Amino acid sequence: MSFKLEMDGDEWEGFCERMLRHEFTWKNFETVPHKDRGDHGIEFFTKCGVIFQCYFPDPTYSMADYKKHVQKKINDDLKKLTKYETEIKKMLGDIVITEWVLVIPEVKSKDLIKYCKKKEKSLPKLSFFSIDGISVKIESDDSFPSGSLYSRTFIGEEINIPLEDVETADAEAWKNSNSAFYDNICRKTLKVTETGVEHLRTELIKNYLILEELMDAYRDQFPDLHTDIKNIALANLQTVKNNNLFRKQEPQEALSSLLQLNRDGLSKIEQRISLQNNEAFSSGFIASWLAECKMEFIINE
């Protein structure tokens, strides 16, 4: 939500247009110009039958004012569908509408969902509606993760998932429930260093656990970016593996070069991720590969 706080209505509309055009692709998405005689209560529509409107409530509104203004926006724009039915029908052509969606920065109250259902039941049967009527919905950009992520690149937004420190007790619990992985870490760390080995093992376990949490968060919120990050890391692993076919590196050297490859590769992604997330990914992948036996070629066993 933080990147949306500094927006205004026009900026939010531009953000939504980029987001939805990316989500539905240009062949299936249409923007309605409003310079001449207004947009007739439709800012965007899709060939699959969805009408979109955007609204940016004042962030300083109280909850009561917020609900009042959002409900007014829904009510006013739905009325325009009836008022401009003939013009809208000409604009849509053969497209049959099944959904009307208001996109706002954040859905703060379940009362708005109830209000949408209430309005849905009271709508008249319009010529461009599905024979079963239409759904009236309210959504935020969270419903369009791929498009939202794409649109953020135009405003320089940095992706950052807050990370919590892993307690030593949690690392100990992981050892007990993942004995095979822990044995792998123990074998490999003996090849890496002879001093501070217990500290290294604990840090690797913590990095492993943080990576799992971070990957789950990116998979849920930014699925395309999750895939890009995973592919970059695997390509880096393969690069170091191929290099070691011709010149065997010392374990410390190989691990350090792989760590730097991860850092550099992730920093070049078009959608910027925070330095904190970059470092967690870069070191976490190495921890997971050591635990899951994907780096035997480096350790030379």
Side-chain angles (χ1 to χ4, degrees):
M1 178 62 185
S2 59
F3 74 94
K4 295 174 262 189
L5 294 177
E6 302 301 320
M7 288 185 177
D8 58 24
D10 289 339
E11 290 170 333
W12 175 243
E13 182 178 337
F15 178 89
C16 289
E17 180 175 4
R18 292 190 301 270
M19 173 182 74
L20 295 170
R21 188 179 297 279
H22 179 82
E23 196 79 21
F24 289 93
T25 75
W26 68 271
K27 290 184 179 180
N28 300 300
F29 181 82
E30 189 75 42
T31 298
V32 179
H34 58 274
K35 298 293 185 183
D36 50 1
R37 290 180 296 168
D39 57 21
H40 298 337
I42 301 177
E43 283 170 334
F44 321 116
F45 64 89
T46 69
K47 286 188 176 180
C48 60
V50 185
I51 287 173
F52 286 101
Q53 281 287 81
C54 304
Y55 179 54
F56 191 86
D58 189 327
T60 65
Y61 282 154
S62 66
M63 179 58 75
D65 284 341
Y66 164 81
K67 290 194 286 188
K68 179 178 72 175
H69 282 85
V70 174
Q71 288 174 348
K72 183 178 187 301
K73 174 66 174 176
I74 294 170
N75 187 57
D76 290 349
D77 284 351
L78 287 176
K79 284 183 177 179
K80 291 180 182 178
L81 299 182
T82 300
K83 181 177 180 180
Y84 299 109
E85 179 180 7
T86 301
E87 290 299 314
I88 292 173
K89 176 62 178 174
K90 292 178 182 177
M91 187 166 55
L92 294 175
D94 295 331
I95 294 174
V96 176
I97 299 302
T98 58
E99 290 185 85
W100 182 94
V101 181
L102 180 67
V103 186
I104 60 176
E106 183 180 14
V107 181
K108 296 181 179 180
S109 173
K110 60 181 179 296
D111 290 342
L112 295 176
I113 299 174
K114 295 177 182 177
Y115 185 78
C116 285
K117 291 303 174 185
K118 176 183 175 182
K119 298 303 295 183
E120 188 178 294
K121 294 177 181 178
S122 65
L123 286 173
K125 298 289 185 181
L126 300 180
S127 56
F128 49 84
F129 282 3
S130 163
I131 191 171
D132 297 320
I134 68 169
S135 297
V136 175
K137 301 172 66 178
I138 186 166
E139 302 282 1
S140 75
D141 62 298
D142 291 339
S143 298
F144 310 97
S146 176
S148 178
L149 184 60
Y150 170 78
S151 194
R152 292 186 202 189
T153 63
F154 290 84
I155 58 175
E157 171 62 13
E158 178 181 84
I159 300 297
N160 181 59
I161 300 294
L163 305 175
E164 295 184 6
D165 292 335
V166 176
E167 300 292 335
T168 301
D170 294 329
E172 291 295 325
W174 184 89
K175 291 181 187 179
N176 296 329
S177 58
N178 296 272
S179 58
F181 284 176
Y182 181 57
D183 287 345
N184 291 334
I185 288 176
C186 288
R187 286 188 299 105
K188 293 176 175 64
T189 49
L190 286 175
K191 298 286 187 177
V192 175
T193 182
E194 295 180 356
T195 61
V197 68
E198 286 301 325
H199 174 72
L200 174 59
R201 289 167 181 169
T202 299
E203 289 303 305
L204 286 171
I205 292 170
K206 290 181 178 181
N207 290 344
Y208 183 100
L209 292 172
I210 289 173
L211 176 70
E212 286 193 322
E213 291 292 327
L214 195 57
M215 288 293 280
D216 286 344
Y218 271 70
R219 184 186 297 109
D220 179 54
Q221 299 180 45
F222 315 111
D224 289 346
L225 185 54
H226 168 273
T227 300
D228 289 343
I229 290 169
K230 186 176 180 179
N231 288 341
I232 287 170
L234 290 174
N236 291 339
L237 177 62
Q238 189 62 47
T239 295
V240 174
K241 183 176 181 180
N242 290 342
N243 289 343
N244 274 261
L245 291 174
F246 305 103
R247 185 180 71 84
K248 197 70 177 178
Q249 294 175 299
E250 289 297 321
Q252 299 94 328
E253 180 188 359
L255 292 171
S256 294
S257 64
L258 183 54
L259 180 61
Q260 194 59 50
L261 279 174
N262 285 345
R263 289 168 175 162
D264 292 344
L266 296 180
S267 69
K268 294 175 182 177
I269 295 176
E270 183 177 14
Q271 172 58 59
R272 291 188 302 122
I273 63 175
S274 70
L275 291 175
Q276 184 187 32
N277 283 187
N278 184 324
E279 190 63 24
F281 280 125
S282 299
S283 57
F285 279 120
I286 291 176
S288 70
W289 294 331
L290 288 170
E292 297 168 10
C293 277
K294 295 181 179 179
M295 299 187 70
E296 296 291 328
F297 67 94
I298 288 178
I299 307 304
N300 195 28
E301 294 188 357

